[in-house]
Amino acid sequence: MPASARRKARLTLTVAVFLAAFCALASTLPAAAGAAAPQGQGAGTGTGAGAGTGSGTGTAAGSSRKINISVQASPDEQTVVVDQKAGTTTIETRSGRIEISYGNVKVTATRLVYNQKQQSALLSGNLQVIEGLRTITADRVEVDFRKEQYTFIGKVQMVEKAAEGSGQEGRVRITVTADRLIYDAQSGDATAEGNVRVVEGDRKSQADKLLYRAKANFIELSGNVQVTTGDGMFVVAERMEVNMDTNVVQIYGQTSMALEVKEES
């Protein structure tokens, strides 16, 4: 068999295995109330002319869930390992990327480990998760598809832009960095811990832990809270709550404060 034909066959097999794993995922996702049991469907294509792509779709009957998968990598730069006993499929690209999208969520990475038994996935390598106006990057993310929960670990950064109609369209509304962040897609809540840093407008904060309720426009910082504002105020406290709609800040526990007073010239 010519070398080009072998590459084409190898890529087609790689994509087919990849899609089989994710169509199995689609078939195990919980359907909407009263819906029929999900059925997975998928298809894959490959080309061997030095570069290859694979794509597929998984749908759940009677449910709005739909998973789209795309593998963009040259044939010789991707590997797939299927462990049937453990119920895991590992896909890795040494060049290119893996793209997964469902609903308004888009995930890109270079390595994925999918566990069909646990209905979970671990993604890493140039990781980026986009949901609407929110973008999160990290070293890796653990996804629980049943709970729609994401656990980001290592060099986490969450950036959220202002919504249309807010008068601040396109501007960054809040930026959070931390060692670890858990995001619940159902509630929209995010909790972070470890070297937490928050920037919202001209206010910069740091703390041990963060609770961010996006739907309520509410922030809670706790543990060694330090806040610096654009008008020169510096606050140290045990806990702080911020109403982002009214910009009202409430401070709790032992508190110290320093104010900058500008002298008239």
Side-chain angles (χ1 to χ4, degrees):
M1 180 184 293
S4 61
R6 288 197 300 270
R7 286 196 299 270
K8 181 175 181 179
R10 184 165 56 250
L11 175 60
T12 302
L13 175 61
T14 298
V15 174
V17 172
F18 176 82
L19 294 172
F22 268 87
C23 288
L25 165 62
S27 69
T28 57
L29 285 171
Q39 300 293 326
Q41 297 179 343
T45 60
T47 60
T53 61
S55 62
T57 301
T59 60
S63 171
S64 61
R65 291 180 182 276
K66 180 178 180 181
I67 299 176
N68 298 299
I69 310 102
S70 176
V71 183
Q72 300 183 8
S74 61
D76 296 326
E77 292 295 315
Q78 56 178 296
T79 58
V80 176
V81 177
V82 179
D83 188 332
Q84 293 182 332
K85 184 177 181 180
T88 61
T89 300
T90 302
I91 302 101
E92 186 167 6
T93 63
R94 291 177 290 280
S95 66
R97 63 186 183 273
I98 301 166
E99 295 184 357
I100 306 168
S101 62
Y102 56 101
N104 66 338
V105 179
K106 179 180 178 181
V107 183
T108 58
T110 59
R111 187 175 190 272
L112 179 146
V113 180
Y114 168 60
N115 188 311
Q116 184 174 346
K117 293 180 179 179
Q118 298 180 1
Q119 296 181 35
S120 64
L122 174 64
L123 297 106
S124 59
N126 297 323
L127 174 70
Q128 184 181 70
V129 177
I130 300 175
E131 184 197 37
L133 299 171
R134 185 180 295 110
T135 300
I136 307 177
T137 59
D139 289 340
R140 65 185 187 275
V141 62
E142 299 171 359
V143 185
D144 186 325
F145 290 101
R146 289 174 292 191
K147 296 180 179 180
E148 293 186 62
Q149 189 175 88
Y150 302 76
T151 301
F152 296 89
I153 302 171
K155 299 177 182 177
V156 183
Q157 182 182 66
M158 182 181 75
V159 178
E160 183 178 301
K161 293 184 178 180
E164 294 184 5
S166 65
Q168 302 290 325
E169 294 89 342
R171 297 183 62 179
V172 175
R173 184 165 183 261
I174 183 172
T175 300
V176 177
T177 60
D179 296 335
R180 178 185 177 93
L181 184 144
I182 299 175
Y183 173 65
D184 188 314
Q186 292 184 351
S187 66
D189 293 350
T191 57
E193 61 182 16
N195 297 307
V196 175
R197 301 287 188 275
V198 181
V199 178
E200 32 154 350
D202 63 356
R203 184 167 45 233
K204 299 180 180 179
S205 310
Q206 65 183 61
D208 295 335
K209 295 182 180 181
L210 161 81
L211 168 62
Y212 174 45
R213 292 178 175 163
K215 294 179 180 179
N217 292 320
F218 172 84
I219 299 172
E220 180 184 45
L221 291 163
S222 59
N224 299 307
V225 178
Q226 296 183 25
V227 184
T228 303
T229 64
D231 57 4
M233 180 182 293
F234 177 73
V235 179
V236 177
E238 295 178 7
R239 185 166 66 90
M240 181 180 77
E241 295 180 356
V242 180
N243 183 320
M244 298 178 71
D245 287 331
T246 62
N247 202 31
V248 172
V249 178
Q250 292 183 290
I251 300 171
Y252 301 89
Q254 186 173 352
T255 303
S256 63
M257 183 179 301
L259 304 175
E260 180 180 332
V261 179
K262 295 183 179 179
E263 297 180 355
E264 295 184 358
S265 55

